[in-house]
Amino acid sequence: MPPTMSQINDPKIAFAYLRPACVLLTKEPTVTNVETLSEQLKDVHDASLQQLQEYVLFPLRFVLKVPGQKKEKLVQSVAEAVSYVLERTCVQSWDTLRDLFSELCICLCSPTDPGKPADTSEELKSAVLRCMDALLHAAYGDIVFRLYEPVMLPGMGAALSLLLAVGEKDKSRDIQAAALKCLQSLILHCDCTQEHVVPSWDERCSVGGTMASFLPGITSAAARIISGDLRQGHAVTVRAIKVWSRSVGLVMEDSQLQRSKSCNTPSPDLGRIGQLVVQRTPDWVKGTAGKLCVLLKRIISCTSAHQHWRVRMEMVDLADHLLATCGQSLKECVGPLLEALVGAINDEEPRVRERCEVALRDVSQRNQSGTSSKNLTDVLSENLHSLATSLPRLMRTSDDQKKLFVLNVFLGYLKVLGPLVSVVLNSAAHLDRISKALMQVLELDVTDVRIVEERSYTDPIESSSGSHDSHTAHTQRKHFLYFTNEKIFSVLMEICRTLGYYGNIYVLTDHLLDLYRQSSAYRKQAAIVLNELVRGAAGISVAVQAKCLDRGEFQGLSASTEDLKAAVVSIMEEYTSLSNWHLITVSEETDTDRQDQQLLSPFRLQSISSSEIISNTSNSLQVIPSSSASPPTSSSVSTIHQLNSNIWQLCIQLEGVACFAQALLHDFRPLLMTSLYPVLEKAGEETLLVSQAALSTMMDVSKSCGYSSTKELINDNSDYLLNDISVNLQRLGQHPQAPRVLMVMLAHSDCNLLPLVRDIVQDVLMSLDLSYDHSAALFCSVLHALMKALARWFPPSYCRTSKLPSFKTSADQEDFDIRQFLLDYHKQKELAEGIGIEVDETEDLEAPPPLECDDADDAGGPDVKAELPSHLSIAKDVMERCIHLLSDPSLRLRLKVLDVLEVCVYVLSEREDELLPMAHRCWPALLQRLTADDPLAVLRAFRVLCTLGETCGDFLRRRVSKEVLPKLSSSLARQAPISAKAGPVYSHTLAYKLQLAVLQGLGSLCQRLDLVP
């Protein structure tokens, strides 16, 4: 406190000023008199107060010595006054220090049971503890060390027990923290900002010998406080950790124990007190280290995953302090201490991570001399093996916080070992134990029935326009048996990447591929680990330690590009093998599956190009008997768990392809010849998770290989993809997924693909002509995808929806030919009535081609029909097939044909002269679907009719007005009273949807057909 004008500097004047209050307090020990003295003390300068210290303390101490029960308020006032004096003066008398120390301890203890704290107010305890702390700070160095003489062992023991009891059992956090702070002062490790006495070597040895007598009690009580109720707050826990670590470091210090004989020589004059003196012999050190190791493990388990970062920081300090001072005496504790350090290396708090890195760097430097580095490596590798052994058990029985800490410890060992990981993994025991632990921990939960139920009904053309985020957003995250926290999964993946970064990629790949092949139980987990190993070996998402135990900076990756490529090729071969890629993912056969089975069944297989059916069709599709085993039939019903397992395995393997592309980047392009086709197969899967994973993989591969989009990826590799499709379409018994690959290519490409795919389309159409009763369902989806692609690639430039009615004249029409108008009108009317179409077609077939020499005479004759563009020709051919298939007995096939027909009409709307004859030909079959079919087919057929009305205009006026409108009107009339009385459930019925579609589309249809009165 700086001197002020009101303070008394002269000791004589100060004595005269304080004397009346001191005398009065001695005569009448009351709270008022104590407070009066306290107020007067504030008017005295510190230097004068130092000279009057004992005189001022006498009446205050006299109050404490008065026998009998004293009021708590009086004792509290005295303690506060003494604290004020001690905080501003130094204690130079041993008697004053000893007596005052004892008197303060008496104030804390119970009168009836001196070994226990008194049940007094928090204010009194706080004042007494503050006074005791001030006393220990005020004592001179040569005075304070007399507290640690053997003769003071009983008094010191009582004080320590009392402070530990208060720190452990008091209900106030502040009282607990204050008691533990006093304990820190008693073991000469106070962390406050005041100046402290620095002991000499002999004094430190003396204090350590004295504290050895109380080490069991201190460490046990502090451990109980550390592992106590979390509600006590982090400040109390931090103080307790400091007391534990500093007391152990003081007693078990290596340098002290080497000279323990000279430090611990008890005097023969001590009598019975000499029995309390502990001789720190090697046997005592060994036994104490074993007991401390038990307590240390308990402390680490309670604090390493503590919610507050300061507690975790203090644990790092504890480990660093004990490893630095007690590394030899606490050999049994080196493992747990290193575990505590490496567990904090991945802490979420940056300050904890930085402190841990410094501590580990110090450990590494201390162990670089002689064989120490080897010993430390051995300890770390043994700890790693032990942790890997117990990891599955811990993951099954611990809570998420404990699991996260254990995995962080595992990761920390790998990071601290650094490049020495490859040396450790050369041990078969370590490699097997670590890999088996990862297999068990990463076991997936395959019990969710929703996984196998979800189907990919989204149109591939529509889904192709989505972004990468739109796919990943719908991808269901993996569910594991033993954890649900996403942070745990992230740490596990980082462990795998770190293994790949530091380990030998060949050793790890071969071992995990063996596990992959050995058991289906390990297959999914092994694939997850393999994927991350490759990413880690490429240095993707790996946090590298600046310093490792190899005595230097890490020099580079453990795997070169050639090593990575070799590993990727071997993994890809295993992933895409027949037994691991073509897995069953559906629980029961759908209509498609049954029809595909009929087509691909060995008893129904036939050669479309055989001489019995057609000759000279070397390019047509062939369906030949399969030489391999037939696909599983419905009799072998798979369980839901097995189907889910298959789905997840395919998803993980698809993710692996993306990981490999990310690892190799442009070097992955040569591998596209063998990997892209299988990915496209899975992109056409009905199972939602598999198709989404495949689409996401396509995007990742295109990005990694330098393509701007999946469209560019497919276009650039379309030559060998289409070659594979062409070959596989001729062997559908062995390659039933070939049509799906073609669908995916069409959905994700552009018009540049059309010239390449045209021959394959003709093969598909020929196959449909020759065996439509078997292959229609198989190829109809392909035709639908094809037509959707054509509609997207070649949007019609001419459509009636954008034209004004042709009967309105305009002044701008200068060259209006009335004769030509009447001829066109007459022709359109005949076509609408079905007159002349068959004759025109017959004449076109029978008429000989015009000769070149007659060109001059043909000026007024019919023009030669120009060749149709490819997309229109294909659309016309497909529409021809749709006309024949509209009457198929299968409702599902009819629905799909109607979808195809609708797109065909849209594509052909560009050429009216081609569309109208085709519309006339398909009308009878379409009319049957509109008037005498299942409501689902009627709904779909009405949509086709609306499209025809938009594109054909008044061509259909008479047909619709005579054949369709009456039946639609009667149907709406019948349904009107039903819908008027229906409840909310009606909106979910098929009748409602049909009624709504007709009401929404009928108005615009009539308007386009000019049927509005």
Side-chain angles (χ1 to χ4, degrees), residues 942-980:
F942 184 76
R943 197 170 70 189
V944 176
L945 177 63
C946 291
T947 305
L948 280 170
E950 291 290 329
T951 54
C952 298
D954 54 4
F955 176 74
L956 297 176
R957 183 190 305 120
R958 180 178 297 181
R959 304 182 192 213
V960 172
S961 61
K962 289 184 177 181
E963 302 175 8
V964 178
L965 283 182
K967 294 189 177 182
L968 287 179
S969 300
S970 62
S971 174
L972 289 174
R974 288 194 309 269
Q975 199 65 26
I978 299 175
S979 62

Side-chain angles (χ1 to χ4, degrees), residues 61 151 185 224 296 337 397 419 441 473 543 644 701 880 888 954:
R61 291 174 55 194
V151 70
S185 300
R224 288 194 299 270
L296 180 64
L337 290 172
T397 59
V441 169
N644 285 346
V701 168
E880 289 271 5
D888 193 271
D954 54 4

Side-chain angles (χ1 to χ4, degrees), residues 501-559:
Y501 188 80
Y502 290 120
N504 186 311
I505 188 65
Y506 288 110
V507 173
L508 290 167
T509 301
D510 290 345
H511 182 75
L512 286 164
L513 281 177
D514 287 341
L515 290 176
Y516 182 94
R517 300 184 190 102
Q518 283 175 9
S519 171
S520 59
Y522 290 157
R523 197 159 292 156
K524 297 180 291 299
Q525 301 95 297
I528 292 174
V529 177
L530 280 168
N531 297 346
E532 295 301 317
L533 280 178
V534 172
R535 294 185 73 219
I540 300 174
S541 301
V542 179
V544 186
Q545 288 299 107
K547 288 278 188 178
C548 303
L549 296 183
D550 63 342
R551 306 184 186 182
E553 301 287 341
F554 186 50
Q555 297 179 352
L557 300 179
S558 58

